[in-house]
Amino acid sequence: MALSDATKDILTFGAHSRVEDKRAELLDLQQKLSEALTERDAAIAQTNQAIEQLIAVKTQAIGTLGGIKSISKQLRAAERNPSENSIATLPVPQLSRLETLISDGEIMTHARAGVAAGASLAMGTWALGGGAGLAGAGAALGASAAGLTTVGGGALVAGGAAAGAFALGSLVLLPAAAILAIFSHNSADKKISEIETEIGKALIVFEESRGVLLTVNNLGRRVREISEAITKTNLVFENEKEKCLRRIYPLGGLSRALKAIRRFFGGNYFSKRDLDTLLPLLNMARILADLIDQKILDAKGNVV
Amino acid sequence: MSAVSKIGKLGDLAKKIPVPDVLKFFNNLVDAYKEGQVTEREIAKINAHKEVMLAEISGKYETYRLVFNRIFDERKEVIDRFFDVIDKGVASNDKQIILDGLEGLSRIVSASPFANTEQLSRLLESGKALEI
């Protein structure tokens, strides 16, 4: 015959009640946990927006850089002609890098056009991984997408990754092993054991949610920082590019034709004055390219 | 349930028990009391552990949050200063000033704010005082 709660309470001098009260106290922890998860999800949504913004900013900057493709083409042609020594001072090796970056960016922009809503995983990879880290960051983003259901967070990139799997290096607030070691079912009492298990699990989720919140907030700030720097640099570069092009091609198409004729007769396409004008612009292009290429996630999904 | 009514119920319960078993009943009662005491101590211990761990998680989270906020705030100040340099260069149409500003901006942005996370983590674990 099952004993009533009152009888159990009498026989154990109130211990049964105290265990039940303790179980009810767990609800306080659940409330704390629920608030932490809500805060984490809000941070993930904000960081998603920041990444969308970064993708837009990078795409725009790639478009601006694309405007110097024709100049780059002429300079690279000159590079192949050893007699044109006047461009030796220009950072010509940077040109191939610029062209690759523009090309990658254009491919990504076209890829985005094929995605119905939001940014694709590929775009997120491109925006966060930087040129050099594309493959590794792609894997990390893919792994994060797989982790979406386990952390219950929102998508970091729409149709793409969850923030839960990202990390700030070795930063851990409290190792899960340490929590489990404490709440490791030492009690002979089944109810106490159950409570221990529940508290242990809740604490692990709480720790994880705080860690994710920290990571995602920092990722968001880093993304916004880079977005602002690219936006500013892109604006300056675009203005300087317009001035520079007006100076090099004052007569538009006619100036281009005259330069082509000069080259046809064995002269340099760009004059010394043109090259002096181009040098600062190419340096600005290099800086803009560095910012566009800035890696935010490494191959392991660490925020760097 | 009040203590008086609890004792009353206990009396009612005792009446239903055969006399030879009364001694065994009270022995069981003493055991139950001891077990209750053990349970109470276990509950208190669990509660203490829970509170300590919550405090540790929340405390570390708050410390890291403050440290990173400080790092990002400082970077923002430096970035804003480079923005000013760039604006001055644009206003005076001085390409060298613009380039200097852009180089500085690129330098600060390419330096990771998380480069010293591991050191920071070790410092926090060591329990040494942290100046931010």
Side-chain angles (χ1 to χ4, degrees):
Chain A
M1 184 183 72
L3 294 173
S4 71
D5 279 354
T7 309
K8 284 180 192 167
D9 215 17
I10 293 162
L11 292 175
T12 60
F13 294 89
H16 175 72
S17 274
R18 284 191 290 274
V19 173
E20 285 304 312
D21 286 350
K22 188 47 52 189
R23 190 181 286 277
E25 258 186 50
L26 254 181
L27 290 175
D28 289 349
L29 188 56
Q30 297 290 0
Q31 176 67 25
K32 206 180 250 293
L33 187 60
S34 169
E35 286 166 8
L37 292 175
T38 304
E39 199 179 349
R40 179 204 67 179
D41 290 347
I44 288 174
Q46 282 180 355
T47 300
N48 269 331
Q49 286 176 359
I51 292 170
E52 288 277 357
Q53 178 66 22
L54 178 67
I55 291 169
V57 164
K58 278 193 169 190
T59 306
Q60 195 185 2
I62 287 284
T64 314
L65 273 180
I68 61 158
K69 252 182 172 176
S70 59
I71 295 171
S72 161
K73 193 177 156 192
Q74 298 300 345
L75 283 172
R76 285 174 67 75
E79 188 192 9
R80 285 193 288 272
N81 181 356
S83 67
E84 295 187 53
N85 293 326
S86 55
I87 61 160
T89 54
L90 284 171
V92 176
Q94 289 287 343
L95 291 173
S96 56
R97 185 173 156 253
L98 279 176
E99 283 170 0
T100 307
L101 186 78
I102 292 165
S103 168
D104 282 351
E106 283 173 349
I107 289 166
M108 284 302 151
T109 309
H110 293 146
R112 190 185 192 185
V115 178
S120 67
L121 175 60
M123 286 299 285
T125 304
W126 172 69
L128 298 175
L134 281 179
L141 284 162
S144 304
L148 183 66
T149 50
T150 55
V151 296
L156 184 62
V157 174
F166 297 137
L168 278 176
S170 57
L171 189 152
V172 175
L173 299 176
L174 192 61
I179 297 173
L180 286 173
I182 296 294
F183 296 101
S184 56
H185 328 301
N186 289 321
S187 177
D189 188 308
K190 196 181 161 204
K191 275 187 187 293
I192 298 272
S193 262
E194 281 173 10
I195 289 172
E196 270 192 315
T197 306
E198 284 175 53
I199 291 179
K201 276 185 192 166
L203 280 172
I204 288 171
V205 178
F206 181 70
E207 189 276 336
E208 281 173 358
S209 72
R210 285 285 144 189
V212 170
L213 179 65
L214 200 62
T215 305
V216 168
N217 276 336
N218 284 319
L219 175 64
R221 289 192 77 165
R222 177 81 172 128
V223 165
R224 280 187 283 275
E225 181 182 275
I226 292 172
S227 279
E228 283 171 18
I230 293 176
T231 303
K232 182 76 177 176
T233 307
N234 187 44
L235 189 69
V236 173
F237 175 73
E238 195 163 17
N239 288 338
E240 292 303 315
K241 186 184 78 183
E242 292 306 316
K243 283 187 210 167
C244 185
L245 290 177
R246 275 200 300 272
R247 197 158 177 207
I248 294 173
Y249 304 116
L251 303 172
L254 185 59
S255 298
R256 282 184 171 82
L258 288 172
K259 286 180 193 301
I261 291 167
R262 190 164 62 199
R263 164 159 284 168
F264 182 77
F265 287 105
N268 291 336
Y269 184 87
F270 289 119
S271 67
K272 176 76 174 67
R273 180 175 164 271
D274 289 344
L275 293 173
D276 288 345
T277 308
L278 278 172
L279 185 59
L281 186 72
L282 287 171
N283 273 322
M284 286 178 204
R286 173 183 53 80
I287 294 167
L288 183 55
D290 285 345
L291 290 170
I292 292 170
D293 216 14
Q294 181 62 51
K295 195 194 280 189
I296 301 176
L297 291 179
D298 70 8
K300 291 177 183 170
N302 284 318
V303 184
V304 290
Chain B
M1 188 185 289
S2 72
V4 175
S5 64
K6 274 185 184 176
I7 292 166
K9 279 217 170 201
L10 193 60
D12 294 343
L13 199 66
K15 282 177 196 167
K16 294 174 186 171
I17 300 169
V19 176
D21 290 341
V22 167
L23 189 63
K24 193 179 168 192
F25 170 76
F26 278 103
N27 278 339
N28 287 342
L29 216 54
V30 170
D31 287 345
Y33 174 76
K34 283 179 184 167
E35 273 177 36
Q37 294 290 90
V38 170
T39 301
E40 204 162 322
R41 277 200 296 274
E42 280 189 351
I43 287 171
K45 202 168 84 179
I46 290 170
N47 201 35
H49 283 315
K50 182 193 83 176
E51 292 302 326
V52 166
M53 288 189 164
L54 271 178
E56 190 169 347
I57 293 167
S58 301
K60 277 191 185 169
Y61 166 77
E62 197 55 29
T63 307
Y64 279 119
R65 193 184 68 80
L66 284 172
V67 170
F68 283 119
N69 274 357
R70 186 65 189 263
I71 290 171
F72 275 107
D73 288 347
E74 277 184 5
R75 288 169 69 92
K76 177 89 179 108
E77 276 177 32
V78 178
I79 287 170
D80 284 347
R81 256 181 258 152
F82 283 122
F83 278 8
D84 289 343
V85 172
I86 295 165
D87 288 342
K88 271 181 198 161
V90 170
S92 60
N93 199 22
D94 187 327
K95 287 186 174 44
Q96 194 51 52
I97 295 179
I98 296 173
L99 269 174
D100 288 346
L102 290 175
E103 291 279 9
L105 177 65
S106 175
R107 229 176 9 253
I108 183 81
V109 170
S110 62
S112 170
F114 313 112
N116 299 320
T117 304
E118 209 169 317
Q119 277 171 279
L120 173 68
S121 189
R122 271 204 302 271
L123 192 65
L124 278 179
E125 293 304 325
S126 73
K128 284 180 189 164
L130 192 67
E131 276 186 34
I132 53 173

